[in-house]
């Protein structure tokens, strides 16, 4: 067991007085309050960032607006593609620094920060770069009457919406920040990103790398701060679209605020209470490593991770015994130690929220294994398996976004589908079985934007991602995101 060394460039970066990132450089307003960035493994303050005021937000929006009008909307799609690819190169070249920043501020295991977050950020940026040159309209032949031999044709063009506000949660700041940046820049939009107050640093560093990549100043701006800073951004008349990833409650508030601002465009990627269904033929020993990894990656703080596990009654006891044993054996400790597979929760309010759910379960005698908060420094909680008898149990209804899974047996596929769909959420689900006839009958019945078979929590830039029901509006990735970042203009010609 050995912790990795913190890089000198990371130490230097942390020691800076961080401002917002506006018009290509750091902007510090000495009157703004400061927010402490706390390392969740040690509870030490590692840096401070500004709590963005309305005035700073206005400057950032203005900078993005001017860059949109004068620069970014004027360059060719190929140039946009080249610059996004260059940014991906620089993320690759600075991968260790970015991974350490994520680990220090989000408590993400260094292995996950390196091999998932930073690695995926590179892959996603390259995907968005490739989309820049593939934005298309279509030609249409209208059926209008021709009195004197005149003819008609029509075509559609997709035009960038303008300045996008990208509001990002704390669980994968760098990667989700890059999703917003890549989507906006590839379609010709500029952006103001508002990262979470807890995990701001990697996004600030990404914006600096963008300047090094030759992305003109003002195309990517970052304003730091609390939820209020996000509200200022949505209210800015220069912002034409809000792309939000976060909780359902905040998402609904943001959607309402955007609608009240002259129907500002909005896409929402929200939470889930994702189901995994283990059918009667599953081999528990075979699936358990993949299921546990998908469930507890980043301590379960993943929007698409399963929280409700439905196990066919014939396999229920075996699953509970074997899953409990695996959870108890997971090495937990410093996220800077590559031999650990479980780290701290990302921030204190979330730690308190997860402990609240665990206390509820403990009071009702539902905890099968794990769930103890670890004494001492840091926001550590042991991964928990919880028994639920009733689908109306709050633990089965509310998103906990933490390292706890609720498990319930089922008898047949009809009752399984009813229970899986008995949720306000519809982000993701999985079915585990080699009986493909059953699997293909289940897929269309499941209310979820993504359904995985014999896997869970895998995102790929070529595959659209987004939620049904209260889990969101819109789709990210593939070419599905393009509609959300562009306006469709129809042109009709008489000749
Ligand atoms: P929140 O909804 O609390 O916050 C998300 C972002 O919105 C943060 O930057 C937050 O700032 C900001 N914010 C808060 N209030 C407002 C407001 N009124 N107006 C504008 N911005 C505001 O989510 P969390 O950060 O706690 O993230 C966890 C949630 O995100 C979970 O529910 C999870 O499921 C969801 N999520 C969904 C994903 C998806 O793709 N579907 C992916 C990842 C997470 P601040 O941090 O300062 O409060």
């Amino acid at each position: 067991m050995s912790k990795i060394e913190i890089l000198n460039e990371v130490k230097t970066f942390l020691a800076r007085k961080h401002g917002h990132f506006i018009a290509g450089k750091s902007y510090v307003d000495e009157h703004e309050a400061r927010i402490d960035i706390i390392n969740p493994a040690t509870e030490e303050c590692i840096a401070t960032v500004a709590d963005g005021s309305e005035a700073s937000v206005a400057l950032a929006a203005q900078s993005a607006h001017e860059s949109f009008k004068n620069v970014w909307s004027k360059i060719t799609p190929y140039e946009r593609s080249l610059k996004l690819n260059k940014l991906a190169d620089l993320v690759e070249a600075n991968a260790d620094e970015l991974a350490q920043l994520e680990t220090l501020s989000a408590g993400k295991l260094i292995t996950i920060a390196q091999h998932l977050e930073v690695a995926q950020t590179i892959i996603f940026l390259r995907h968005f770069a490739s989309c820049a040159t593939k934005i298309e309209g279509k030609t249409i032949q209208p059926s209008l009457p021709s009195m004197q031999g005149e003819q008609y044709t029509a075509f559609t063009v997709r035009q960038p919406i303008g300045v996008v506000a990208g509001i990002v949660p704390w669980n994968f700041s760098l990667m989700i920040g890059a999703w917003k940046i890549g989507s906006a820049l590839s379609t010709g939009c500029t952006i103001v990103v508002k990262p979470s107050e807890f995990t701001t640093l990697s996004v600030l560093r990404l914006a600096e790398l963008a300047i090094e990549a030759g992305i003109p100043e003002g195309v990517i701006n970052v304003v730091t701060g609390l939820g209020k800073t996000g509200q200022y951004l949505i209210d800015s008349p220069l912002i034409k679209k809000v792309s939000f990833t976060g909780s359902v409650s905040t998402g609904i508030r943001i959607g309402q605020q955007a609608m009240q601002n002259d129907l500002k465009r909005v896409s929402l990627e929200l939470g889930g209470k994702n189901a995994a269904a283990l059918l009667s033929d599953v081999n528990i020993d075979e699936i358990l490593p993949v299921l546990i990894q998908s469930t507890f990656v980043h301590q379960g703080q993943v929007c698409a991770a399963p929280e409700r596990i439905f196990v066919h009654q014939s396999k229920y006891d075996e699953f509970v015994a074997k899953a409990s044993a695996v959870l108890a054996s997971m090495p937990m400790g410093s996220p800077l130690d590559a031999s650990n597979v479980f780290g701290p929760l990302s921030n204190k309010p979330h730690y308190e929220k997860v402990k609240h759910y665990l206390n509820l379960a403990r009071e009702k005698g539902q905890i099968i294994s794990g769930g103890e908060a670890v004494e001492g420094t840091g926001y550590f909680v042991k991964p928990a398996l919880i028994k639920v008898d009733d689908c109306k149990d709050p633990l089965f209804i509310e998103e906990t976004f933490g390292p706890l899974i609720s498990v319930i047996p089922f008898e047949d596929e009809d009752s399984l589908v009813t229970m899986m769909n008995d949720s306000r959420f519809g982000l993701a689900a999985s079915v585990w079985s080699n009986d493909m006839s059953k699997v293909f009958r289940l897929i269309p019945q499941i209310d979820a934007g993504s359904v995985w078979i014999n896997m869970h929590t895998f995102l790929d830039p070529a595959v659209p991602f987004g939620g049904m029901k209260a889990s969101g509006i819109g789709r990210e990735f593939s070419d599905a995101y393009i509609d959300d970042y562009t306006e469709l203009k129809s042109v009709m010609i008489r000749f």
Side-chain angles (χ1 to χ4, degrees):
M1 298 227 296
S2 62
K3 285 192 195 173
I4 57 151
E5 283 294 312
I6 302 297
L7 295 166
N8 283 335
E9 48 268 48
V10 172
K11 290 180 188 159
T12 311
F13 185 78
L14 293 177
R16 283 203 228 157
K17 178 153 192 176
H18 297 283
H20 309 288
F21 195 81
I22 299 176
K25 50 187 172 302
S26 177
Y27 170 80
V28 178
D29 177 344
E30 296 294 348
H31 297 104
E32 285 177 341
R34 306 291 299 174
I35 300 168
D36 290 345
I37 302 287
I38 304 292
N39 178 341
T42 63
E43 298 182 49
E44 287 163 355
C45 174
I46 54 168
T48 70
V49 295
D51 184 13
S53 63
E54 194 168 4
S56 294
V57 167
L59 279 179
Q62 186 64 37
S63 152
H65 172 70
E66 280 166 19
S67 300
F68 173 70
K69 244 186 13 189
N70 303 326
V71 186
W72 198 247
S73 61
K74 297 224 158 78
I75 72 169
T76 63
Y78 177 64
E79 285 173 277
R80 301 202 297 261
S81 176
L82 281 182
K83 289 186 194 303
L84 275 171
N85 267 318
K86 181 71 187 157
L87 178 58
D89 292 344
L90 288 176
V91 171
E92 205 163 7
N94 294 275
D96 289 342
E97 181 190 350
L98 290 162
Q100 290 194 5
L101 287 175
E102 271 298 315
T103 293
L104 291 172
S105 48
K108 193 168 291 148
L109 294 175
I110 191 67
T111 44
I112 299 292
Q114 287 165 334
H115 303 303
L116 196 162
E117 176 135 39
V118 177
Q120 285 292 307
T121 297
I122 298 161
I123 292 170
F124 272 96
L125 283 172
R126 294 206 194 290
H127 168 77
F128 290 117
S130 76
C131 290
T133 52
K134 297 173 188 66
I135 298 170
E136 298 169 341
K138 58 183 178 183
T139 56
I140 305 151
Q141 187 175 359
S143 301
L144 295 169
S146 171
M147 300 301 186
Q148 290 154 344
E150 65 269 44
Q151 293 183 30
Y152 303 89
T153 190
F155 64 91
T156 59
V157 276
R158 289 220 158 261
Q159 293 184 187
I161 268 180
V163 182
V164 173
I167 303 182
V168 176
W170 46 257
N171 61 336
F172 283 92
S173 300
L174 180 74
M175 182 174 74
I176 296 176
W179 294 350
K180 313 273 180 223
I181 288 171
S183 304
L185 269 59
S186 61
T187 47
C189 302
T190 58
I191 191 163
V192 182
V193 184
K194 208 299 272 175
S196 165
E197 73 200 64
F198 301 108
T199 53
T200 302
L201 301 173
S202 56
V203 179
L204 283 172
R205 186 70 187 111
L206 184 65
E208 288 182 350
L209 293 176
I211 295 293
E212 234 180 277
I215 294 175
E217 59 189 43
V219 172
I220 300 174
N221 305 271
V222 181
V223 286
T224 64
L226 307 174
K228 190 83 187 148
T229 307
Q231 288 180 11
Y232 295 139
L233 200 50
I234 300 163
D235 277 341
S236 163
L238 298 176
I239 299 291
K240 301 301 176 200
K241 176 200 162 61
V242 182
S243 174
F244 171 79
T245 301
S247 62
V248 171
S249 55
T250 308
I252 290 173
R253 209 169 323 136
I254 283 177
Q256 287 167 340
Q257 199 186 339
M259 288 302 107
Q260 278 159 5
N261 271 278
D262 284 342
L263 306 181
K264 200 163 275 191
R265 304 293 184 260
V266 64
S267 44
L268 304 169
E269 286 295 340
L270 309 178
K273 188 76 188 174
N274 311 300
L278 279 51
L279 305 194
S280 57
D281 66 297
V282 286
N283 179 328
I284 300 287
D285 292 322
E286 259 176 31
I287 66 153
L288 206 53
V290 189
L291 180 62
I292 294 286
Q293 192 187 36
S294 315
T295 306
F296 292 100
V297 62
H298 194 24
Q299 289 73 259
Q301 302 165 121
V302 178
C303 57
E307 288 200 13
R308 297 180 295 154
I309 312 283
F310 297 91
V311 186
H312 188 265
Q313 57 189 13
S314 63
K315 295 284 162 96
Y316 180 81
D317 290 339
E318 183 188 355
F319 174 79
V320 164
K322 290 182 172 167
S324 300
V326 173
L327 295 191
S329 69
M330 282 165 100
M332 177 194 263
S334 169
L336 287 169
D337 183 336
S339 65
N340 284 324
V341 295
F342 208 82
L345 297 178
S346 283
N347 56 70
K348 184 126 195 251
H350 190 56
Y351 174 61
E352 297 300 338
K353 176 180 152 181
V354 168
K355 281 199 301 181
H356 159 76
Y357 282 113
L358 288 168
N359 286 338
L360 275 184
R362 195 167 295 112
E363 279 162 19
K364 292 197 272 172
Q366 290 175 291
I367 296 191
I368 302 170
S369 64
E372 304 90 2
V374 178
E375 292 286 318
T377 312
Y379 309 136
F380 291 90
V381 168
K382 291 190 183 160
L385 192 62
I386 291 168
K387 176 175 165 303
V388 169
D389 301 318
D390 173 8
C391 288
K392 298 293 171 221
D393 190 311
L395 284 165
F396 225 60
I397 293 174
E398 293 163 27
E399 182 190 39
T400 65
F401 207 56
L404 43 150
I405 42 173
S406 304
V407 56
I408 196 165
F410 71 91
E411 280 176 34
D412 54 52
E413 273 82 53
D414 285 345
S415 62
L416 170 67
V417 170
T418 305
M419 289 195 290
M420 285 177 89
N421 289 342
D422 186 12
S423 170
R424 70 189 293 225
F425 300 101
L427 187 61
S430 61
V431 179
W432 301 71
S433 171
N434 286 324
D435 185 338
M436 284 303 141
S437 176
K438 271 188 193 162
V439 167
F440 277 97
R441 278 198 300 270
L442 282 172
I443 291 169
Q445 299 182 66
I446 297 170
D447 295 344
S450 294
V451 178
W452 288 288
I453 309 303
N454 296 323
M455 60 194 290
H456 199 120
T457 330
F458 285 82
L459 301 185
D460 185 282
V463 182
F465 178 69
M468 287 165 63
K469 302 199 280 189
S471 289
I473 297 174
R475 291 291 180 270
E476 304 205 82
F477 321 153
S478 160
D479 59 359
Y481 77 94
I482 292 172
D483 289 2
D484 284 342
Y485 285 77
T486 52
E487 288 285 7
L488 185 65
K489 182 174 280 177
S490 300
V491 181
M492 216 185 280
I493 303 162
R494 174 175 165 274
F495 60 96

